[in-house]
Amino acid sequence: MTQDTLNVDVVIIGAGPAGLMAGTWMAQTGVNTIIIDKKPYRTQFGHADGIESRTFEILDSFGLGENVWKIANRTIDLSIWNDRELGGIQREALLNNCNPGLSHFQEATLGQGEIEQNFLDFIESSNSVSVKWNTCPIDLMLCKASDHPVKLDIETRTSETEFIHSTICAKYLIGCDGARSWVRATLGLDLEGDRMNEHWGVVDSIPLTDFPDIRKRCIIKAKAGHLMIIPRERRLVRCYVQLSPEVATAFRTKVDPGILVNIIRSILSPYSFEASSVEWSTVYSVGQRLCTSLSKYSRVFLAGDAIHTHSPKAGQGMNVSIQDTYNLGWKLASVIKGKAKSMILRTYQDERLLVAMRLIAFDKRMVEVICRKDPDLSMKGRLPIKNSLKDTLREENTSASGLEVHYKPSCLISRTWESKTRRLASPMLPHSRSELAGNLAVGARFHDAQVLFQCDSRPCNLQHVLRSTGEWHLLVFGGDILCSAQMERVRRLGVELSQEGSLVNKPDPNHDDRVGRIGIYLIHCTPRKNVEIIGLPEIFRPFDETTGYDYWRVFADNEPYGEGLGDACRLYGIGTEGCMVLVRPDQHVAFIGALEDLSAIKLFLGNFMTGL
Amino acid sequence: MTQDTLNVDVVIIGAGPAGLMAGTWMAQTGVNTIIIDKKPYRTQFGHADGIESRTFEILDSFGLGENVWKIANRTIDLSIWNDRELGGIQREALLNNCNPGLSHFQEATLGQGEIEQNFLDFIESSNSVSVKWNTCPIDLMLCKASDHPVKLDIETRTSETEFIHSTICAKYLIGCDGARSWVRATLGLDLEGDRMNEHWGVVDSIPLTDFPDIRKRCIIKAKAGHLMIIPRERRLVRCYVQLSPEVATAFRTKVDPGILVNIIRSILSPYSFEASSVEWSTVYSVGQRLCTSLSKYSRVFLAGDAIHTHSPKAGQGMNVSIQDTYNLGWKLASVIKGKAKSMILRTYQDERLLVAMRLIAFDKRMVEVICRKDPDLSMKGRLPIKNSLKDTLREENTSASGLEVHYKPSCLISRTWESKTRRLASPMLPHSRSELAGNLAVGARFHDAQVLFQCDSRPCNLQHVLRSTGEWHLLVFGGDILCSAQMERVRRLGVELSQEGSLVNKPDPNHDDRVGRIGIYLIHCTPRKNVEIIGLPEIFRPFDETTGYDYWRVFADNEPYGEGLGDACRLYGIGTEGCMVLVRPDQHVAFIGALEDLSAIKLFLGNFMTGL
């Protein structure tokens, strides 16, 4: 029997958050892609529900952030409860569960299905990506010589008993098929690490309770057991409750959420607790396991739970999974479109393995501080909560939030002169002068700040300029251009950027494909009333015969409404002499140089980009 | 020939901003309504384009604000230009064109068609309101005795030569059919006032120009003529240019926007100006005219341009039109649903005529300061701009923005003890104790402020609580409830509110109709960590057997994240002893009383509400 064969650029196995994030990149960049999933439709209830601020930023860079932010539930308060000597429980501390300075988004909760729906809506509005439900992978072959080296046999269920077999030939495959990944197994890889002996039950319900902190995130350590409360969208609340092996087995046999509700009630006693409208419940056993190979031949990639499994304690899983393929997607699109050499694909392994290792280590600490009963605490009663719990929770809202992921030097991240590890990058490649932006770190995600459009004083978040389109962003911090010497430096840079053979592709309004291009923006710190946009080099306000000048590439780092200076440059540690910051398509800082360092940037980009 | 007859509650003639705002109220409250319009579809290009902050607040109260805000263009800067002695023009001043303290929205611009589309989307998602295009009114009869006293014959065009006639029988009619209103003429009413002899041309285009302020709102008074520039959504810019009667006639004959572009170019000289993609152009003559009768028998109402025509100089028209029917809609719905006596309909005339008169007077001043050449200015060259222009512009951003519309005492607005005009309200009705909220004015729109949800510390704008649903809002400012005497006052109020026969309709989750109900909210100013929501009277956290407690009716007037107090109470001038503020369904303050004044509120409401 001959089988249908479909040629695509990318095949993605698994339409969960990691797979759909990868699909979203492919939809955004117009890369011909198919996503298969054995499920008949997206996640309806339950599963992951924590969204970190970095994930919101990523969604926002595709225009999906506000929608999700609007329906998600912000968990601002974190309440710690423990035993009372006379029985019952008492509130021990009420902490902030957020870190407002780090992002314009904050941690929030929303069922995984809603996130998936937002990705699916985005994907469906494109014409390059399709999703095939009810479809399993059957066989995978890699023939290195071919232009489409990935050959994947699949089986699509069309009814209870009928299946259709077909073959997908692809340039690349991304395995986002979860903790029991078929792709990982087929590649002969495995998760390493231990299964621990902790069992937890999960219930999503609308609670009927007089427990006063039910709309706050809670960690409750009572004699009757340990409980975590996660308030959610609508009136839902998720409860995680620690179970004995016997109770876990009982639940798995009966699948009766009443078993979990009874334990929750006894932990919360003397407060009342009933679960109305139980939407989802399950039992899981905690284990932290890791696959240290994230790709094979840079043709097959693994992402998400396929490479890291852990407890849901800190709501990290969906975030790191989305961030995995957010890292991979633009690299694949750039290579597929011939804009970058395939060497950049190797950075996926280096950049994301370190994140996965940190995730596993962090989750171990988190489980430790939440599950273990502290002996001091139970003996002395009203002790302040242990520093280890506080520290771990603080870590969750900073480095573990994804905001402080810091990629190491590679072909895509320049080394800095201060850098002590000179192993990864070639010594011939230019170095960043990171002292010019003392508070920006090369390799870290570009921190958001508000500036004003020079043309009309509207406020603009710089991160909104860094949309995820596959384009790189060259932010020219011009400094104080009222100073004529400084203006002369900006002018000279403008001339260099405008020259034939410059790294800037001339804007072409009929050509929407921005993959591999470099967008140029000027941010100055002169009071905006003293700057005439038309007096600036034309590269910063390019002219088009149909649409006129592009007025939206020049920003004043000023206070809105007033005359005073803004605080973007102060935030970034950039002085009046300015600098250039080159930002990758995934918002990570790749290079920092002086206004005269255009040739260094060209050398850096020329190493991996084609046609420069 | 027998004609089809349709019975509806409300017929609206004209599907422009005023008519669609009325339709939006009817859709929101589920009132059976038909809107007819002679056009085949909504406005596509041009026409009104200014949106004041109050209009954004109104759109937002139906959930439409953010959509429109996102695509609208904020006009933050206002640039004044005049002649240069040596020829050409020069910038004389750069002013702020906004007033950030007054609203969380600001003035912005967007083509009228987009606003209409947002209303239409809202209306289409309801099942009580339909829009019939290509349809003109033919004959109107009023038979007072009938339950449906309005009998309207209409004609619907089905092809170039074919028409269908039918009859609509309605309880109420709203004439939103513009400056040449058929409804107004049929009622035998007319606009009063003079046509002035000023002619202006309007062009919406994408300009190709090196004029540096093209993305700012500009007023340019040059020897070659007067020009106003209004930057718009996308890359559009609107130009208003003053014309001689001869040029106005020439344009009307040829309908050639090139005539207008030539004059704009000569005014802007020595800057270049070309219009790419002219989207719309027209010529109008300025006139300020007013119809002083806004309704007939409280059965037929006029709104929008049908009662006030004026120049578009200050971008007021669409705003006042929307605000007209925003005032009328909830009153009609309340009467139609039997929740209020029809006497409340008379307040439409009283409340909106004063606004219309103020609008006409303001527009006269605006035209005066913009059109007239100031002799001092042209003689002395670089004089500061005249105070009259500055003052008028400042007025535009305060009282003229709709934010400071202040309705006089009536059955729907209580008198205050300070009030000197005792004519309108009955002396038997209770008075407001406005000194308890020194910065709130009875009759004015309730100013927005941020508070925090007690249950989870999420920030919430109080104006978002006051959604337009037809429900009244009783905001109980509980003061410092850590003080036991104060808590006792709140408790006693809770008991009174909970009693059988209280003015509060018990919440009924199966009954979505909120018209004529009173929603109760508690805002306290105690640090939120010291308050347990479960310890508060249940009326402020009502319990439902399916959905549990309603946790979203209690707010802490606190700073986010910190322990400090918030500034809502300070903003409203409310002290630690608290007060009650009763807010109408259109967000205007109706009554201010002490926590003991529930019987006064009941008396006030009982005067016009049924079933209290």
Side-chain angles (χ1 to χ4, degrees), chain B residues 528-547:
Chain B
R528 64 191 184 278
K529 289 193 183 179
N530 300 332
V531 173
E532 298 292 353
I533 195 165
I534 296 295
L536 297 171
E538 190 169 336
I539 192 79
F540 301 120
R541 43 164 190 99
F543 184 77
D544 174 89
E545 283 181 7
T546 312
T547 58

Side-chain angles (χ1 to χ4, degrees), chain A residues 312-515:
Chain A
K313 291 290 169 304
Q316 294 277 300
M318 177 160 60
N319 297 281
V320 178
S321 295
I322 288 174
Q323 289 161 26
D324 281 345
T325 48
Y326 182 63
N327 178 288
L328 177 60
W330 65 273
K331 296 174 183 171
L332 270 185
S334 303
V335 172
I336 287 167
K337 298 198 154 209
K339 303 298 176 76
K341 300 174 189 166
S342 62
M343 64 191 273
I344 69 168
L345 300 177
R346 292 200 296 267
T347 61
Y348 174 66
Q349 163 87 27
D350 299 329
E351 291 182 344
R352 297 307 297 176
L353 179 59
L354 286 177
V355 172
M357 289 167 67
R358 185 199 50 71
L359 167 67
I360 296 297
F362 171 70
D363 188 62
K364 280 186 179 159
R365 281 198 300 286
M366 193 77 182
V367 170
E368 184 70 24
V369 295
I370 288 178
C371 296
R372 301 279 169 260
K373 190 78 183 170
D374 190 287
D376 292 342
L377 210 61
S378 60
M379 278 160 54
K380 297 189 190 168
R382 279 185 155 271
L383 263 187
I385 53 164
K386 291 287 288 183
N387 283 341
S388 60
L389 178 54
K390 267 194 177 164
D391 290 347
T392 310
L393 290 167
R394 192 177 305 118
E395 182 180 349
E396 182 194 324
N397 281 314
T398 53
S399 59
S401 68
L403 289 170
E404 298 199 347
V405 166
H406 199 121
Y407 295 140
K408 293 262 182 295
S410 72
C411 63
L412 295 177
I413 298 289
S414 66
R415 276 189 294 168
T416 63
W417 285 115
E418 300 90 334
S419 171
K420 278 163 193 157
T421 57
R422 303 212 165 196
R423 284 173 294 114
L424 291 168
S426 148
M428 301 301 292
L429 285 178
H431 284 51
S432 274
R433 294 185 52 188
S434 56
E435 78 280 6
L436 295 173
N439 302 335
L440 285 178
V442 179
R445 140 269 194 204
F446 185 82
H447 198 298
D448 195 23
Q450 185 183 280
V451 290
L452 305 181
F453 284 107
Q454 171 66 38
C455 69
D456 58 11
S457 303
R458 276 185 303 138
C460 172
N461 285 86
L462 271 181
Q463 229 176 47
H464 281 168
V465 172
L466 313 180
R467 298 286 290 226
S468 293
T469 60
E471 189 174 63
W472 291 63
H473 319 277
L474 181 60
L475 304 182
V476 177
F477 288 89
D480 181 4
I481 54 176
L482 206 58
C483 156
S484 62
Q486 185 65 18
M487 185 64 204
E488 187 48 36
R489 294 177 70 207
V490 172
R491 256 189 240 288
R492 268 201 303 266
L493 174 60
V495 169
E496 270 192 276
L497 282 166
S498 309
Q499 270 165 0
E500 196 81 27
S502 144
L503 53 80
V504 185
N505 299 305
K506 288 274 175 197
D508 175 2
N510 300 320
H511 193 229
D512 279 345
D513 189 359
R514 295 165 79 173
V515 176

Side-chain angles (χ1 to χ4, degrees), chain B residues 25-79:
Chain B
W25 257 128
M26 300 308 140
Q28 179 77 317
T29 53
V31 171
N32 189 8
T33 299
I34 188 163
I35 307 174
I36 67 168
D37 197 291
K38 64 183 176 198
K39 295 196 305 296
Y41 33 66
R42 71 159 169 87
T43 304
Q44 302 295 302
F45 301 111
H47 297 276
D49 65 1
I51 315 174
E52 299 287 346
S53 39
R54 179 60 190 148
T55 304
F56 275 115
E57 291 181 357
I58 290 171
L59 293 172
D60 198 44
S61 72
F62 292 93
L64 304 174
E66 281 180 32
N67 265 356
V68 175
W69 178 248
K70 209 154 62 180
I71 54 173
N73 182 74
R74 290 180 60 186
T75 45
I76 291 172
D77 291 331
L78 171 54
S79 187

Side-chain angles (χ1 to χ4, degrees), chain B residues 1-4 164-166:
Chain B
M1 198 183 82
T2 58
Q3 278 186 187
D4 277 356
I164 293 175
H165 288 89
S166 56

Side-chain angles (χ1 to χ4, degrees), chain B residues 345-463:
Chain B
L345 299 178
R346 291 201 295 268
T347 63
Y348 174 67
Q349 162 89 26
D350 298 330
E351 293 183 344
R352 297 307 295 176
L353 178 59
L354 285 176
V355 172
M357 288 166 67
R358 188 201 48 70
L359 167 66
I360 297 299
F362 171 69
D363 188 61
K364 280 186 180 160
R365 281 199 300 286
M366 193 76 182
V367 170
E368 182 70 25
V369 295
I370 288 177
C371 295
R372 301 279 171 259
K373 191 76 182 171
D374 190 286
D376 291 342
L377 208 63
S378 58
M379 277 161 54
K380 296 188 189 165
R382 278 183 157 275
L383 266 188
I385 52 161
K386 290 288 287 182
N387 283 343
S388 60
L389 177 54
K390 266 191 177 166
D391 290 346
T392 310
L393 290 166
R394 192 177 306 120
E395 183 180 349
E396 181 194 325
N397 280 315
T398 54
S399 59
S401 68
L403 290 170
E404 299 198 344
V405 166
H406 198 121
Y407 295 140
K408 294 262 180 292
S410 70
C411 62
L412 295 176
I413 299 289
S414 67
R415 276 188 294 167
T416 62
W417 286 116
E418 302 91 332
S419 172
K420 279 164 195 157
T421 60
R422 302 211 164 196
R423 284 173 294 115
L424 291 168
S426 148
M428 302 299 295
L429 285 176
H431 284 52
S432 274
R433 295 186 51 190
S434 57
E435 76 281 6
L436 295 173
N439 302 333
L440 286 178
V442 179
R445 138 272 193 203
F446 186 81
H447 197 297
D448 194 25
Q450 185 181 279
V451 291
L452 306 181
F453 283 107
Q454 172 65 40
C455 69
D456 60 9
S457 303
R458 274 184 304 137
C460 171
N461 285 85
L462 272 182
Q463 229 176 47

